[in-house]
Amino acid sequence: MKPEDIIDYIQIDEYSSTPKYKQLTNAILHGIELGKFEKGSLLPSINELSFSLEVSRDTAEKGYRNLRKLGVVDSVPGKGYFIINTDFSRKLKICLLFNKLSTHKKIIYDSFTEAIGEHAAIDFYIYNNDFALFKKMVISKRDEYSHFVIIPHFLEGGENAHEVINTIPKEKLIILDKLLPGVTGNFAAAYENFAQDIYDALEQALDRLSCYNTIKMIFPKGSYFPREILTGFYRFCQQYAFNHKVIHNINEEEINAGEVYINLMEDDLVALIERLIVQNLKIGEDVGVISYNETPLKRIILDGITTISTDFKNLGSLAAAFVLNGKTEKVAVPFYLNLRKSL
């Protein structure tokens, strides 16, 4: 097959969040598996790939370097890149369906791909908490993959998500982060117990919390965060007799000394800190701050922000283990309190 014919089999999906160099790698490996590309076939040049696929030269070069690392492709100076090994088969083709891109979702993705390794094709899609888009992706791709790894969070319409997910054969299904009521059968899951997790984390921080008189949870309207978080929050505050309040907009809330604020969204954390600075309220003394989801930056800013968080790296590695060992167990992932100077 001529290099120009090979290009016809290489496609880049602009809707996919999979790095383009990996899409290039997967496309060529898939062509080999289908018997379309033979041993000794000359591949398109870096310039031809860059022009035809509308990707950068760096992307094309990185894709070929990846294939070379796998022992599938080699190059001859002055001639180009050749396929040197067609004895390559990947039984695993995995679709990652995440609700959004964020720092902690990247941790899950990186942990998953590292644990899976190169001998699996991974397509990564973001549905932006949109149930209609999620449904369309699942239905259109249901028969293309050996496994689906799904994080199911929706802004609206998600009450029917279990019906869509139940159309996926259970041996192919891995659910991360949140168990959905109504998803039946023997499938794998690594999940958070949202109500119990926040209760336990706040209980661990009880000594520090006792220095304040009121705990406020910032829970924006229309949030994709599970309402079970509020269940655990209310139970803790009632158990230990704390004044408490759920607020939907931090910009409209009066802030006073003696209060602790728990934020879920990063934007709310920024708005809260800005207001505390303007009001000259000292974080960790006048007002306490607890933030959901650990990130490296929260360890540093303002001498450290207290966080309550699951182990996102563990979520990714567990999902990979489910794929590789074929187990269909359901595992509750540990939840941690990282106590710092903001409380």
Side-chain angles (χ1 to χ4, degrees):
M1 183 178 288
K2 296 178 181 179
E4 55 268 28
D5 296 327
I6 288 177
I7 284 182
D8 292 338
Y9 287 94
I10 303 173
Q11 295 182 347
I12 299 296
D13 185 351
E14 295 295 335
Y15 295 100
S16 173
S17 296
T18 306
K20 290 181 180 179
Y21 83 92
K22 286 195 173 182
Q23 291 191 50
L24 171 60
T25 298
N26 290 338
I28 291 175
L29 291 176
H30 188 54
I32 292 172
E33 290 170 333
L34 292 176
K36 301 295 183 182
F37 310 155
E38 299 175 352
K39 187 174 181 178
S41 295
L42 176 64
L43 292 170
S45 69
I46 298 293
N47 285 337
E48 288 171 327
L49 275 183
S50 178
F51 176 78
S52 299
L53 301 178
E54 298 182 348
V55 298
S56 69
R57 282 180 50 83
D58 286 345
T59 296
E61 210 161 1
K62 193 172 182 180
Y64 278 166
R65 281 202 308 270
N66 202 35
L67 288 163
R68 195 171 184 174
K69 181 181 175 183
L70 292 172
V72 174
V73 161
D74 205 350
S75 62
V76 176
K79 291 190 176 181
Y81 289 87
F82 292 83
I83 294 174
I84 61 169
N85 178 18
T86 56
D87 186 19
F88 190 95
S89 177
R90 298 177 304 173
K91 295 181 181 178
L92 301 176
K93 189 176 181 185
I94 304 162
C95 179
L96 299 185
L97 269 175
F98 284 15
N99 63 308
K100 63 178 288 189
L101 277 178
S102 63
T103 302
H104 47 280
K105 295 293 167 44
K106 185 179 186 305
I107 293 170
I108 297 173
Y109 173 82
D110 288 344
S111 174
F112 179 83
T113 54
E114 181 182 358
I116 286 290
E118 291 290 349
H119 292 275
I122 300 174
D123 289 336
F124 182 32
Y125 293 94
I126 304 296
Y127 62 88
N128 294 317
N129 304 112
D130 184 330
F131 174 66
L133 181 57
F134 172 83
K135 180 179 179 181
K136 181 179 179 181
M137 286 181 170
V138 170
I139 291 173
S140 64
K141 300 177 182 300
R142 191 168 45 211
D143 300 324
E144 296 180 20
Y145 295 95
S146 65
H147 295 84
F148 284 82
V149 180
I150 294 172
I151 297 180
H153 291 293
F154 308 95
L155 289 177
E156 56 183 26
E159 61 273 8
N160 298 316
H162 65 281
E163 297 175 0
V164 176
I165 293 173
N166 278 333
T167 66
I168 300 171
K170 295 306 185 294
E171 67 275 11
K172 292 184 175 186
L173 178 62
I174 298 161
I175 291 182
L176 292 187
D177 201 40
K178 178 186 178 183
L179 284 180
L180 280 184
V183 178
T184 58
N186 195 20
F187 60 93
Y191 65 95
E192 298 179 59
N193 186 340
F194 292 97
Q196 190 63 44
D197 286 345
I198 188 170
Y199 181 93
D200 291 344
L202 293 176
E203 196 171 49
Q204 291 174 52
L206 186 58
D207 286 347
R208 297 276 189 97
L209 289 170
S210 297
C211 299
Y212 303 88
N213 57 56
T214 302
I215 307 176
K216 294 182 177 180
M217 166 78 74
I218 310 171
F219 200 97
K221 286 185 177 179
S223 169
Y224 65 84
F225 279 90
R227 297 193 67 81
E228 291 89 343
I229 292 172
L230 296 180
T231 302
F233 171 70
Y234 288 135
R235 185 160 69 90
F236 172 81
C237 293
Q238 291 163 3
Q239 176 71 31
Y240 291 100
F242 278 99
N243 296 323
H244 58 281
K245 182 180 180 182
V246 173
I247 61 177
H248 302 301
N249 189 339
I250 185 57
N251 294 306
E252 297 175 356
E253 183 69 14
E254 181 180 339
I255 298 176
N256 300 296
E259 298 175 340
V260 175
Y261 286 83
I262 304 172
N263 81 280
L264 303 176
M265 310 290 288
E266 304 297 290
D267 289 349
D268 287 332
L269 177 62
V270 173
L272 173 62
I273 291 172
E274 287 176 341
R275 290 194 61 196
L276 293 175
I277 291 171
V278 168
Q279 292 184 220
N280 204 27
L281 291 169
K282 191 162 184 180
I283 297 171
E285 293 185 15
D286 301 321
V287 173
V289 175
I290 301 173
S291 184
Y292 245 75
N293 297 331
E294 175 72 358
T295 65
L297 188 60
K298 292 174 186 176
R299 300 174 203 157
I300 300 168
I301 57 174
L302 299 171
D303 294 325
I305 299 291
T306 293
T307 62
I308 49 179
S309 180
T310 193
D311 185 339
F312 294 107
K313 187 173 183 180
N314 192 17
L315 272 174
S317 59
L318 273 172
F322 291 147
V323 170
L324 295 173
N325 63 31
K327 290 184 178 179
T328 53
E329 58 189 320
K330 297 173 180 62
V331 178
V333 178
F335 200 76
Y336 300 101
L337 168 73
N338 301 292
L339 203 55
R340 301 191 179 105
K341 289 187 177 180
S342 71
L343 186 63

